[in-house]
Amino acid sequence: MKILKKNWITLTILIGIFLCALLVRLINLSEFPVGFQIDEASLGYNSYSLFMTGRSESGDLLPLYVNTFGDYNPIGYDYLAIPSIAIFGLTEFATRLPAAIFGSISIFSMYYLAYVLFKNKKISLLSAFLIALSPWHIGLSRGSAETLVALFFVITGFAFILSFFNRYKKSNLIIGVFLLVISFLIYPAPRIFVPVLFVAVAVYYFKSWYLKKKYVFTLSLGFLILIISLSFLIFTIPGGTARFKQTSIFNFPETRLLLEEQIREDGVNGTNNLFTRAYHNKIINFSLTFVSNYMEYFNGSYLFIKGGQPLLFSIPSVGLVYLIELPFLIIGIYVLIKSKEKNSKIPLIWLIIAPIVAAATVDDTPNIRRSLLMVPAIEIIVSVGIISFFNYLKNHGHTFNATKIKYIITCFLIVCFIGNVMYFFHQYFIHAKHHRTWYRNNGFSEMMEIVNEKYEDFDKIVATKSGGGYPLFLFFSKYNPRVYQMEGSPKDVDYKGFGKYIFVPSEYPSIDASTNMKTETSTLYIDRGTCSRPSLESGRKYKEIYREDGSLGFRVVY
């Protein structure tokens, strides 16, 4: 009865944490984050297209990648969003809902992962609680972030993998590998992280399985499935390497230019060619870039003070991890290094490997989406630090008034933690909606309400490509996917478009002679808000759309 009672208490607490996580991820989900960025619009519209036609916006039947801007992103999130799009329609809420749901249920995965590692309910519950209120996790949960959904499958998959190494139950390995393969279909980062951590974990537990032939075969088969799945997704399907080529340090022009500059400077100084080749080559330059990027992800400012890139996920003056967690992160690392428990080093190994993917890229660095894989390890280590700290107070009570000191410290830490959480929500719901909102295309939906209202009244709609992108027009106009595909999925090529829309590079098509279609008697123009107002003598009417920060976003001229 006592065991049953304890389990019910644990389950009740865990459900309470889940409800808390769900609340902070769903409240005002349509309105926050303010605006709707292009990636979200692309996810939503492709999900809508799959639901309506079974094809992506490009007309590909049941694809595994979608090509929006030559990036060929995995399309797993788009499939997961189909139910919410079917129920709620093509809206911001429906598009963001999958990330919010998977972010919420991740607390169960975190509990399971921590429990498999330490068999300690306090550490497990605390890990689940910390990720439920993590600024890093909440921010991406509310922003249609594919990486957040992929993280759920990575956490759950490795929880089962680690359970296999502790109990050697084959079904755990099968389930774990299956979940990890799913993560490959959602976001690119796990494609490197997963096999590297899998091998690292296998090596870590080497002594416990290498003499057992049946486990060697099972483990080898699991790893082979991961590699075959990766090879199929990357090398067999067209576009599998496109995103890596776009963001990799190996294709980054600045790294190459730096190398050429150093070689040229050696030439000017008359340096011996042997030294030039030894010091200034691709291996050294790429390695230095990688190490420099890698170290940025352990920078205190990045983690605890101001976060990172891309700015469309930025929350002013808020780090990715609460500052109050810093001392316990240090304590946790120390405790795990000193510990002789079987699984104690796994969170540290996870944390070391997690930024590798992000460090190998150069676009928007340090990148909070690609480095999200660090979160589970950080929160588990912090939980270990907190529990170890209070165990120390309890075990050394003979040297001081332990009860009183423990009570004071507990109250102080609770107040500090609540203060950190309240500050985050204040910055998120009050300041972020006024902070650089143009990065999230704030005002675009309001502008499209006007355009949709007047759509039938005009022959052409000439729109600036600045301040938005064609996925936003498709999304907010709910453009028929079948019609769009019949038109050849034209995107927003200069001076072309779809339906009545024509996209132009000018920021001010209503006053730019090169795009002002004077032969058209019925044309509506969409300008950026920075252009001059039409003169009253021109006889034109216009409506202006302001962002949350008070700046002028768009002007609709007709």
Side-chain angles (χ1 to χ4, degrees), residues 38 69 438 441 444 447 464-473 492 528 554:
I38 292 177
F69 297 108
W438 53 85
N441 307 298
F444 201 96
M447 179 270 290
T464 176
K465 292 172 65 174
S466 178
Y470 82 92
L472 289 162
F473 285 94
D492 56 359
R528 284 204 70 176
F554 299 94

Side-chain angles (χ1 to χ4, degrees), residues 16 23 44 60 63 66 68 74 82 103 154 214 218-219 256 277 296 346 353 406 453 464 485 498 520 554:
L23 177 65
D60 299 319
V66 60
T68 303
I82 289 176
V154 170
K214 60 179 181 179
T218 304
L219 198 58
R256 296 176 181 273
R277 289 176 181 176
E296 282 191 63
I346 296 299
I353 294 173
K406 187 176 180 180
E453 180 184 330
T464 176
Q485 291 165 24
F498 48 86
E520 295 288 351
F554 299 94

